[in-house]
Amino acid sequence: MPLGNCLKERRARLGLNQTELGKLCGVSRQTISLIERGDYSPSVTLALKLAKVCRTSVEDIFWYEEERMDEESDEQAENRED
Amino acid sequence: MSRLKIERTKAEQEKEKTEQEKEKTWQVKEETEQEKGKTGQKKANTGQEKDKNQNQKEKQKKGNISTYLKYALILGGCMLFGAVLGVGAVFGRESLLLLPELLDPVQKLIQDLLLPGMLLLLILIVGTGEICFRKIKELRLQSMEAEDEEGDRLEYETERITARGGSLMAFGEFLSTLLLTFSYSSSYLLAEVKEGSAVILLSGFAAYILIQIYHGCWGIRIVKLEQKYNPEKKGDPVSLKFTEQWVESCDEAEKTMIYQSAYSVYLTLSRLIPLLVVMTMLAHLVWNTGIMAVLVTAVLQLVITVSYMRNCIRRMERRIRGNV
């Protein structure tokens, strides 16, 4: 299961383009693009750097798709019960 | 009256106590029954796990047998194919032995076409290289200001044209090597050659060297162009350690891509080279092509396998030393 992320939204909030974010984190624009598209899962070091630049935690930017699906199905079940 | 009341309340209190005790004993009974149920479940689970382990072992056994069976079938198929080829070679022996003689006019033709062929290849290689380089430069300029999908598209186009240009030039080098090799033999050293042919051969060599030099220069220009737009990329293209320096300066996603590509090259070579070993051995058997080709391909196979194993072990050693 790939990692989901909202890096693009976080980057937009900071007003940075991919090249600038890449320079701040020490990676290329291509790597940022790959991460945003979900085609590449960053290492722990890079994920921590990205979180630091975005001034948030790693869990706020990246999530495990399986867990997100489970949470959504639980929410749907709760809504039906209500 | 008050005494009666006191006694009544005492009796009521005692009743309550006995009822509470009854409830407690009943709860304790329930708990023990629940625990019994749990241990029963645990036993059932361990029994299920044992069954699972047994099933897995049986599956593994079956898997092992089927793997060996498949291996035997593949070997049998290859032997059958070899037997068919061998029988065909016995019956077609005369025509097979004629093959080198049939190739003689082809070789003569190639020798005559050496100089024009090499010049044509030189022009094609230089032309391809220059067109590709110009296109790559344009795309690099455009990609500097592009973002998101447009940036990805331009970078992909750049990589594609670099790869295409490099591949075409490599193919051109391959053809020039074949052309040159077909054009000479030991007769040039041992026997007299016709006038002028030595000059033609030397010109062919000169063109071949020019092709090699141009390809090297093209590679250097591509690296310098990349470093101009991405200054974090390090490495002197002329240095022997260039590849290591370049990979070191790449970020993690680029490194992953390089490692994956290198591994797929290793897989391709490890499948291709044993085939080449067999082909050169057969060629030596049928046409007496000489032991050199067999030796070269066998050495390649050995080097690829051994160097891969050595690298794996070295990396494990470094990890262990790091932990210690």
Side-chain angles (χ1 to χ4, degrees):
Chain A
M1 271 279 174
L3 278 184
N5 71 83
C6 59
L7 184 63
K8 195 170 183 176
E9 289 81 14
R10 292 280 175 183
R11 180 173 59 80
R13 268 187 231 173
L14 293 170
L16 296 171
N17 61 27
Q18 288 178 336
T19 312
E20 286 162 351
L21 181 58
K23 278 184 186 160
L24 287 170
C25 299
V27 294
S28 62
R29 188 207 71 79
Q30 206 176 22
T31 302
I32 300 294
S33 175
L34 285 168
I35 294 171
E36 286 178 0
R37 287 200 318 255
D39 288 339
Y40 177 72
S41 298
S43 65
V44 171
T45 315
L46 181 53
L48 286 167
K49 278 185 195 171
L50 286 165
K52 194 174 179 185
V53 166
C54 296
R55 289 170 217 155
T56 184
S57 67
V58 173
E59 288 83 6
D60 284 341
I61 305 177
F62 299 100
W63 57 84
Y64 198 44
E65 284 290 3
E66 227 175 54
E67 278 178 7
R68 190 49 81 92
M69 278 166 65
D70 287 343
E71 279 172 17
E72 281 174 7
S73 61
D74 287 342
E75 274 176 26
Q76 280 174 7
E78 276 175 20
N79 289 338
R80 272 186 226 143
E81 277 174 21
D82 290 341
Chain B
M1 278 297 280
S2 61
R3 216 178 166 185
L4 272 171
K5 267 187 187 176
I6 291 165
E7 280 174 8
R8 270 186 197 165
T9 52
K10 271 187 186 175
E12 277 169 10
Q13 279 176 359
E14 277 177 16
K15 260 190 187 177
E16 274 179 33
K17 268 187 192 174
T18 49
E19 274 175 13
Q20 279 175 1
E21 278 169 13
K22 274 184 188 175
E23 269 185 39
K24 272 185 190 174
T25 48
W26 196 66
Q27 274 176 4
V28 165
K29 268 189 188 175
E30 268 191 23
E31 279 172 13
T32 48
E33 274 175 18
Q34 276 177 3
E35 277 177 20
K36 275 186 189 174
K38 275 183 190 174
T39 48
Q41 246 182 4
K42 273 185 192 173
K43 278 186 186 173
N45 284 345
T46 47
Q48 277 176 2
E49 277 174 19
K50 273 188 187 173
D51 286 340
K52 262 187 196 174
N53 287 340
Q54 256 186 332
N55 284 342
Q56 275 176 2
K57 278 184 186 172
E58 280 174 14
K59 271 185 189 173
Q60 213 173 11
K61 252 189 185 175
K62 280 183 188 171
N64 285 346
I65 293 167
S66 70
T67 305
Y68 285 114
L69 194 61
K70 273 185 208 169
Y71 186 56
L73 285 171
I74 290 168
L75 282 178
C78 291
M79 284 179 200
L80 191 65
F81 180 68
V84 165
L85 276 183
V87 166
V90 164
F91 285 107
R93 185 176 42 194
E94 284 173 9
S95 39
L96 271 177
L97 291 175
L98 278 174
L99 198 59
E101 289 176 26
L102 288 171
L103 285 175
D104 271 343
V106 175
Q107 194 164 2
K108 261 196 165 178
L109 179 67
I110 291 172
Q111 280 172 2
D112 293 336
L113 291 174
L114 170 64
L115 198 53
M118 290 299 263
L119 286 174
L120 180 66
L121 279 173
L122 180 64
I123 290 165
L124 284 172
I125 285 169
V126 170
T128 307
E130 290 308 304
I131 290 169
C132 287
F133 186 79
R134 197 179 291 176
K135 190 78 185 161
I136 289 162
K137 209 172 173 181
E138 275 171 26
L139 286 169
R140 270 272 169 249
L141 267 171
Q142 287 172 27
S143 67
M144 288 309 290
E145 286 163 26
E147 279 296 319
D148 293 4
E149 287 88 13
E150 186 61 19
D152 291 341
R153 190 190 65 80
L154 288 168
E155 277 178 13
Y156 167 69
E157 277 298 311
T158 313
E159 295 289 328
R160 195 178 65 87
I161 289 170
T162 311
R164 192 172 275 186
S167 303
L168 284 171
M169 285 200 287
F171 187 63
E173 272 185 32
F174 167 73
L175 287 177
S176 65
T177 307
L178 279 184
L179 186 60
L180 193 65
T181 314
F182 267 111
S183 306
Y184 70 87
S185 67
S186 56
S187 63
Y188 275 82
L189 302 172
L190 300 171
E192 279 182 26
V193 292
K194 64 178 182 189
E195 231 176 272
S197 59
V199 173
I200 293 171
L201 181 62
L202 286 173
S203 309
F205 266 113
Y208 181 75
I209 288 166
L210 280 173
I211 288 169
Q212 299 296 322
I213 289 171
Y214 177 77
H215 193 190
C217 288
W218 190 84
I220 292 169
R221 285 161 75 196
I222 291 289
V223 167
K224 292 292 179 193
L225 184 68
E226 181 70 25
Q227 286 173 339
K228 182 182 172 187
Y229 290 102
N230 294 303
E232 68 278 2
K233 294 275 165 63
K234 306 286 178 210
D236 182 9
V238 180
S239 163
L240 285 172
K241 290 190 177 178
F242 166 69
T243 318
E244 288 164 9
Q245 291 165 350
W246 183 267
V247 171
E248 217 31 65
S249 63
C250 289
D251 67 20
E252 54 182 70
E254 288 163 343
K255 277 183 189 165
T256 306
M257 219 155 31
I258 290 169
Y259 296 152
Q260 283 172 348
S261 306
Y263 187 68
S264 67
V265 167
Y266 163 75
L267 286 179
T268 306
L269 287 176
S270 59
R271 283 168 195 159
L272 179 64
I273 289 176
L275 279 175
L276 290 176
V277 170
V278 169
M279 277 170 62
T280 49
M281 286 171 77
L282 288 173
H284 179 54
L285 175 70
V286 176
W287 296 299
N288 202 25
T289 49
I291 212 167
M292 197 62 186
V294 181
L295 189 64
V296 166
T297 47
V299 164
L300 269 175
Q301 188 180 16
L302 180 68
V303 165
I304 282 172
T305 312
V306 170
S307 64
Y308 179 76
M309 305 282 186
R310 269 185 74 198
N311 271 299
C312 289
I313 295 295
R314 266 190 200 163
R315 284 177 204 292
M316 279 183 77
E317 266 177 11
R318 268 182 227 157
R319 265 187 238 162
I320 289 167
R321 271 182 213 157
N323 289 342
V324 166

